Amino acid sequence: MLCIINMKINYLNYFVVLVSFIGFLHFYSCDSAVYDKKSLDMLIKEESIKPQRYDSIIYGVKFGMTHEDFHYYTLRKNREGLFFPSRGGSMVKVDINSGFDYPIEFHFFPSTTDERFTFIAKFKSIVSYKNYSIYNKEMSLNNLIDQTLRFFEEGYKGNNFIKVVNNDDIFVNYNYIKIDANRMITIKPSYPLNRLDILFEDLRPMGKIE
């Protein structure tokens, strides 16, 4: 009888230690990986002073283009059958059929409409499923986030994404940020629209042509 009691006590102690250890791992792997504003500001400062430049956005679109460059380049790619106007014509659209479980649409456009010869420092973008169906559970926002993060990290190389708290959408815990020297990519998931709102930002903008 005493032996059985000792076994139960040992098992209970083992269980408590195991639960505590799992809890610690969960805390360490998730909570400690979330950047607060101070940590993010420090990372931006560290990366932005690096001498390298990473200007690529997608298919030849990049920081360093003027608004006029962008206009003529996207027009040429439209004639080649790569770029298309988005619905409503407010953005440029490209279909991406590989790297995702289902085809996605990548919409993009300069976030400001400055003078023709001003270098573009910000591009706004939207990633969403091409033929989204609310009945297809595999087209979830979480899957779209995971696959987009992987697609971007493989395509842009460099540093991985970090997590920051999302205060804009009560159904989404985190935004995701990737910083490589001058290029910062911010991904903000939108649960109501089942899409990702993305901002490409040049941390060392070039200004304008004199």
Side-chain angles (χ1 to χ4, degrees), residues 8-133:
K8 287 183 176 180
I9 292 174
N10 289 337
Y11 178 79
L12 180 61
N13 290 337
Y14 173 78
F15 181 77
V16 170
V17 170
L18 181 61
V19 170
S20 299
F21 181 69
I22 292 173
F24 172 78
L25 285 180
H26 177 76
F27 176 82
Y28 182 79
S29 62
C30 296
D31 292 353
S32 64
V34 179
Y35 277 57
D36 59 17
K37 185 179 185 305
K38 182 178 179 180
S39 299
L40 178 59
D41 288 343
M42 289 178 60
L43 181 61
I44 291 173
K45 183 177 180 180
E46 291 171 3
E47 286 291 327
S48 63
I49 62 176
K50 292 182 178 179
Q52 304 96 326
R53 284 198 63 87
Y54 297 91
D55 294 327
S56 177
I57 306 299
I58 188 170
Y59 292 129
V61 176
K62 59 186 179 180
F63 297 132
M65 282 183 160
T66 64
H67 285 76
E68 187 170 69
D69 293 334
F70 177 82
H71 172 76
Y72 285 110
Y73 182 79
T74 53
L75 181 61
R76 177 161 59 88
K77 290 301 178 183
N78 171 254
R79 290 171 177 167
E80 294 173 4
L82 179 61
F83 293 163
F84 301 94
S86 64
R87 185 177 300 176
S90 61
M91 303 182 80
V92 178
K93 183 190 76 169
V94 58
D95 294 331
I96 299 177
N97 298 314
S98 60
F100 294 82
D101 291 345
Y102 295 90
I104 63 110
E105 294 179 340
F106 186 100
H107 301 250
F108 62 95
F109 206 77
S111 63
T112 58
T113 54
D114 296 325
E115 299 175 16
R116 290 169 57 193
F117 299 108
T118 301
F119 292 113
I120 301 171
K122 293 181 181 180
F123 288 89
K124 58 185 177 181
S125 174
I126 297 171
V127 168
S128 60
Y129 287 113
K130 184 176 181 180
N131 297 304
Y132 173 66
S133 170

